[in-house]
Amino acid sequence: MKRLGLGLWLLLVVLVGCSPQTSSYVNDEVDYSFIDRAAVLPFQNLSQDLHAGTRMHSVFTTAVLEKDALGMVDLGETLAAMARLRISPDAALTPEQITALGEELQVQALFHGVVEEYGAERVSNDRVYMVTATFTMMETQTGSLVWKAQVHSDGTSFLRKLFGGGSASLFDVSRNAVDQALETLF
Amino acid sequence: MKRLLRHVLLPCLLTAAWLPTAPACGQDTGPSLAVVLYLSADTLDDLKLPLTEIRRDLTASLARHYTAAGYRVIPAARIDAAVGRWRVRDERSISQPFLDTLHTELGASLLLVAHLRAGRDGMSLRTRMLQLPVGLVRRVQWPIVSWDAGAEGPESEPWRQALLGLCRELDTIPPSSPTGPARLLLPADPVGCEPEHAMAATCALLQEWLQAEDCRLPDPALVYTFLAQAGVPPSRLDASGRHLLSEQFGARELWRLSLIAYGQGTKAVSRAVLADDSFVPTSHLPDFDLNLRRIDLETGLVLDGGALYLPAAPDRGWFGTVHRHNLKDRIGQAAARLRDEYSPTKENQR
């Protein structure tokens, strides 16, 4: 029994070591079943990395597609619609713009993301990849926010620390962050 | 600055070929071939490679190689005029009017688009052969030769040996005409990496598709320039653009490919890191994510999407043996896996 307890404790430590930190909000009053088509807006990039927004957008879109729960509009279509409505890809959208985009793209929801931290940092002489991002979903009937998740993920883990492995790759850290965020929605 | 210039890609357009000897008997009956050659190199100061000579030598070698196989190779000067007229600056600039000119005015039935890359460890020649005037991709080849293969030392100009080796690797049997459904692919979008690497990824996927199934593949450059000439930016493809593509190429779907580098983060650094990665295998290469999306041309919806992450670290076997992979191997491996993921059988099942 003691061994089982020790095993469970170790498992807990390992899991805690791997898990990213996520905080989320989901509007319980929204009927999500009416959303069957969505678009992902270009991500806003606040990090030092020029391509962080594009990379995270790609990882996010792939992850949503893998859920196989929504029809996703191609990014090119989204960008074209934004250009037609004269909406800057970097600007925060007003509810009116969200509604207009929804009509233009014939989608019931829009995803957006802000990459706040992205890249490598020194943690006690080790180079560790970190990602902090916020993802949101707006429904296009009223333009209101229905889901928001802020997640921080890094490439360290208990096992890596224990056995001296390096950081997980930036792609894996990004994917982990996105997966954790989407778990609060799907 | 010098270092930067040294690492900057030098795409030098060279067309053509001249016949070093009189054409052989019966040669006129063979397919007529136009050759457009792009050349890029890095660390030239270190390697002391004579670019002009390399161009001339490769042009002559290609002409000899294809002439010997019964092709009628169109002289360079005639192609130069068409290249200048239609501003075919790089591999992505190939347009339908250019192909029409090659076909109607110069009598070419095939176009060989070749990209020679010279690096520290050797040379690679990435080629795709297009059927004229329709611009269907008939064959993609990508031989690589290392400097030490057949060379006797730096003084004996190993690049000449390397060029001969590359040409020998090229299959000259005229490719058969594809009859399957049309499949549209846009040139890969480079994120944080060189456009050349994105084009390499495009060719790798084309090669995989051609080897795996019978489908008509309009050259991605042709799809790109068609949209651009119609006033539709390919990155902002809307309903009108999709309709145009559907009408022009008779396709129902469009495939988008992205090559996303996970390197140091900035493009400037990535350029330096990537400069000679075709030949210097390994740990200096950034990680890549090859991303493929299948888009319904009628609705604009993404039908499928997948990403393949390519870590730069070399493989280690059970006994500690390190297996290093160059760019061709890595991109080819990823393209093969993407092809498997999106095979026609799977598409039908979806």
Side-chain angles (χ1 to χ4, degrees), chain B residues 52-71:
Chain B
T52 313
E53 276 186 68
I54 287 176
R55 276 184 226 151
R56 196 166 48 228
D57 213 73
L58 178 59
T59 307
S61 298
L62 282 172
R64 274 196 301 271
H65 185 65
Y66 281 98
T67 303
Y71 287 74

Side-chain angles (χ1 to χ4, degrees), chain B residues 28-85:
Chain B
D28 288 345
T29 57
S32 54
L33 180 73
V35 180
V36 180
L37 176 64
Y38 297 92
L39 182 63
S40 66
D42 45 67
T43 59
L44 290 179
D45 290 349
D46 297 347
L47 288 170
K48 294 185 170 50
L49 289 175
L51 274 182
T52 313
E53 276 186 68
I54 287 176
R55 276 184 226 151
R56 196 166 48 228
D57 213 73
L58 178 59
T59 307
S61 298
L62 282 172
R64 274 196 301 271
H65 185 65
Y66 281 98
T67 303
Y71 287 74
R72 185 174 62 84
V73 180
I74 295 171
R78 300 186 66 195
I79 300 172
D80 277 343
V83 165
R85 181 172 156 199

